[in-house]
Amino acid sequence: YVIRNLRLCGELGQINFVPFDLRNEEELIKAMKYSNVVINMIGRDWETRNYSLKDVHVEGPRKLARLANKLGVERFIQVSHLNASPNPTPILLSRGSEYLKTKYAGEIAVQEEFPDATIIRPSDMYGIDDNFLFYYMNRWRRSGARKMSLWKKGEQTIKMPVDVRDVTQGIVNAIQDPSSAGKTFECVGPHPYLLSELIDYFFRIIR
């Protein structure tokens, strides 16, 4: 029983790792052709020379959804962002967040290609080696004599971080519930916090 509980992967043939290029349709088809459920969790916080935010958040999901529909995949799950919006409120950026714009455009693209797709909109997720906690706890960000630059001292930013395991369970529940097809679900933690409160808590924990 101990070995079974600690096993990291499934039996031989249950888990296959298939490398693919998001721009290569043949490789995408190869990765999806035996699947009855496809979950797209591909995302990027910044652009690179190879991929723009539009490539990753809009064109990629559109291609995945179109090919999944063509292959007869039963369920398509698109993981987006809680604040995805066509016109996000400009705060630090005069034109608003391109990340949130492309996340929203990706939802629309998926729904156009796979009308019964389920959209999952999580807030900031925390877990092992996550980008939320480690972003603020990175030693380079907290190297300024226990000071950190935050918009309006973090006192006007509300966060509802959610455990990645809860989001995962929510995705599994959506897959198993046929009534979730074509719907959008927002996944947030049980409590709202000011960002300043969270930062103070993080610093108390790490002393």
Side-chain angles (χ1 to χ4, degrees), residues 130-143 148 198-207:
D130 66 86
N131 286 335
F132 177 62
L133 297 177
F134 277 68
Y135 175 79
Y136 294 108
M137 292 298 95
N138 184 292
R139 65 190 182 93
W140 296 111
R141 284 185 61 81
R142 56 185 173 84
S143 60
M148 186 178 297
L198 290 175
I199 299 300
D200 288 342
Y201 172 71
F202 297 161
F203 273 98
R204 288 199 302 271
I205 292 298
I206 65 173
R207 301 182 180 177

Side-chain angles (χ1 to χ4, degrees), residues 171-195:
I171 292 174
V172 172
N173 293 345
I175 292 171
Q176 296 175 342
D177 183 359
S179 68
S180 68
K183 295 181 180 178
T184 298
F185 297 92
E186 295 183 345
C187 304
V188 299
H191 303 291
Y193 302 95
L194 291 176
L195 180 57

Side-chain angles (χ1 to χ4, degrees), residues 25 103 147 173-174 202:
E25 290 196 7
K103 278 291 189 178
K147 295 181 180 179
N173 293 345
F202 297 161

Side-chain angles (χ1 to χ4, degrees), residues 19-203:
F20 63 86
D21 186 320
L22 195 56
R23 296 163 294 197
N24 189 314
E25 290 196 7
E26 291 185 1
E27 292 181 356
L28 295 178
I29 291 173
K30 181 181 178 181
M32 294 190 294
K33 66 180 180 178
Y34 298 120
S35 302
N36 62 330
V37 177
V38 170
I39 305 170
N40 179 34
M41 295 185 288
I42 300 173
R44 189 76 188 186
D45 293 338
W46 62 89
E47 296 183 321
T48 67
R49 289 181 295 177
N50 295 321
Y51 288 97
S52 67
L53 291 177
K54 183 178 180 181
D55 291 335
V56 177
H57 296 156
V58 185
E59 300 306 326
R62 178 184 296 279
K63 189 176 299 181
L64 287 167
R66 175 172 56 81
L67 294 175
N69 202 357
K70 180 180 178 181
L71 292 168
V73 172
E74 298 171 17
R75 298 296 306 278
F76 191 95
I77 310 292
Q78 170 71 9
V79 179
S80 183
H81 189 280
L82 179 65
N83 294 325
S85 169
N87 297 298
T89 303
I91 297 178
L92 296 178
L93 302 174
S94 60
R95 299 176 60 183
S97 169
E98 192 66 22
Y99 174 86
L100 296 178
K101 290 179 184 178
T102 53
K103 278 291 189 178
Y104 179 83
E107 293 180 7
I108 301 302
V110 166
Q111 290 169 333
E112 289 174 350
E113 301 293 344
F114 203 112
D116 286 337
T118 299
I119 308 297
I120 303 293
R121 287 181 163 186
S123 63
D124 297 290
M125 291 184 282
Y126 61 88
I128 298 176
D129 289 336
D130 66 86
N131 286 335
F132 177 62
L133 297 177
F134 277 68
Y135 175 79
Y136 294 108
M137 292 298 95
N138 184 292
R139 65 190 182 93
W140 296 111
R141 284 185 61 81
R142 56 185 173 84
S143 60
R146 298 181 65 81
K147 295 181 180 179
M148 186 178 297
S149 298
L150 298 172
W151 179 72
K152 296 194 175 182
K153 299 182 180 181
E155 295 178 357
Q156 294 191 28
T157 301
I158 297 175
K159 296 285 188 180
M160 295 186 72
V162 60
D163 193 317
V164 66
R165 293 169 296 183
D166 292 334
V167 177
T168 302
Q169 187 60 56
I171 292 174
V172 172
N173 293 345
I175 292 171
Q176 296 175 342
D177 183 359
S179 68
S180 68
K183 295 181 180 178
T184 298
F185 297 92
E186 295 183 345
C187 304
V188 299
H191 303 291
Y193 302 95
L194 291 176
L195 180 57
S196 58
E197 293 176 324
L198 290 175
I199 299 300
D200 288 342
Y201 172 71
F202 297 161
F203 273 98

